[in-house]
Amino acid sequence: MCKIKTECLVLGVIPTNCYFLHREDSSEGIFIDPADRGEYIYSRLTAKGYSVSLILLTHAHFDHIWGANELRTLSGARIYAYEAEKALCEDTANNLTAECGRPYTVIPDRYLKDGETVEAAGLSCRVIATPGHTVGSCCYYFEKEKILIGGDTLFRDSYGRTDLPTGDDSAMGESVRKLLTLPDDVTVYTGHGENTTIGHEKNGGF
């Protein structure tokens, strides 16, 4: 079986982990959470011979979306987000871009449903709705490869804050419990900080 390569760029004023996933035998891939430098991301990828087939958003806070429209324009890739995140994608107050002095919206080419399978560049992942950090936060689960792109829901020894617009502490608790039902050996690629595993978090990570 051809393995997935997961490459990380750390960008932005709040260092954000941005991920490019592709098969070892392919230069096409999926980019997740383009932080704030779409042109830089595009230049880095094209310099390595890579191309972006799809852009996925785990949620729509400023530090995860400011580069999205630019990367879409340059790459020609479509942008997908979970349907409940419309409340942030299209609202500069909820996504905090207005507060940060750079009002910004992103209109995804498609809003996804919880449990939907997404396929692009020979890759397949499932949308897992994980409200709490925002109302439409989600994770992308590459089940065969045991990879979870966790956004700002689950961190190493912690989880995302819930005191920002549309955040909800109770919903976050339910979302974390949902993720902890995944197999222990699933690697969690977090939106900030170190990676972790489901097993680590399940066994007292936080």
Side-chain angles (χ1 to χ4, degrees), residues 82-155:
Y82 174 49
E83 60 185 353
E85 199 65 349
K86 181 181 175 71
L88 276 79
C89 287
E90 303 180 26
D91 189 300
T92 62
N94 282 340
N95 66 27
L96 303 176
T97 61
E99 182 177 324
C100 293
R102 183 183 163 190
Y104 189 95
T105 59
V106 55
I107 311 299
D109 298 280
R110 182 177 170 192
Y111 282 110
L112 303 167
K113 297 186 179 300
D114 184 26
E116 183 172 346
T117 296
V118 177
E119 296 183 349
L123 306 176
S124 178
C125 64
R126 175 163 55 89
V127 180
I128 301 178
T130 52
H133 182 57
T134 68
V135 68
S137 288
C138 74
C139 300
Y140 297 101
Y141 182 35
F142 296 78
E143 185 170 6
K144 290 182 180 178
E145 295 79 15
K146 297 188 176 180
I147 289 172
L148 182 78
I149 306 298
D152 286 6
T153 297
L154 188 62
F155 297 136

Side-chain angles (χ1 to χ4, degrees), residues 20-206:
F20 181 67
L21 287 79
H22 65 98
R23 291 165 52 95
E24 283 186 327
D25 62 353
S26 175
S27 61
E28 297 180 27
I30 297 173
F31 201 91
I32 302 178
D33 289 349
D36 62 351
R37 298 180 66 187
E39 183 177 3
Y40 174 78
I41 291 168
Y42 179 76
S43 297
R44 281 285 302 269
L45 293 175
T46 54
K48 292 185 175 183
Y50 295 143
S51 62
V52 180
S53 296
L54 181 64
I55 300 164
L56 295 176
L57 304 178
T58 62
H59 66 292
H61 277 151
F62 68 97
D63 53 325
H64 291 254
I65 67 166
W66 263 335
N69 290 327
E70 193 171 38
L71 183 59
R72 171 167 56 185
T73 297
L74 291 169
S75 67
R78 303 177 80 196
I79 296 175
Y80 292 175
Y82 174 49
E83 60 185 353
E85 199 65 349
K86 181 181 175 71
L88 276 79
C89 287
E90 303 180 26
D91 189 300
T92 62
N94 282 340
N95 66 27
L96 303 176
T97 61
E99 182 177 324
C100 293
R102 183 183 163 190
Y104 189 95
T105 59
V106 55
I107 311 299
D109 298 280
R110 182 177 170 192
Y111 282 110
L112 303 167
K113 297 186 179 300
D114 184 26
E116 183 172 346
T117 296
V118 177
E119 296 183 349
L123 306 176
S124 178
C125 64
R126 175 163 55 89
V127 180
I128 301 178
T130 52
H133 182 57
T134 68
V135 68
S137 288
C138 74
C139 300
Y140 297 101
Y141 182 35
F142 296 78
E143 185 170 6
K144 290 182 180 178
E145 295 79 15
K146 297 188 176 180
I147 289 172
L148 182 78
I149 306 298
D152 286 6
T153 297
L154 188 62
F155 297 136
R156 184 173 180 83
D157 302 331
S158 186
Y159 52 87
R161 59 189 293 185
T162 60
D163 59 334
L164 299 173
T166 79
D168 185 292
D169 191 60
S170 177
M172 176 63 85
E174 292 181 12
S175 293
V176 170
R177 286 190 289 273
K178 180 195 293 189
L179 294 180
L180 295 185
T181 66
L182 297 176
D184 286 1
D185 56 351
V186 169
T187 299
V188 182
Y189 291 86
T190 63
H192 304 278
E194 297 179 65
N195 299 335
T196 186
T197 65
I198 293 297
H200 176 81
E201 303 310 320
K202 189 184 295 184
N203 294 304
F206 57 83

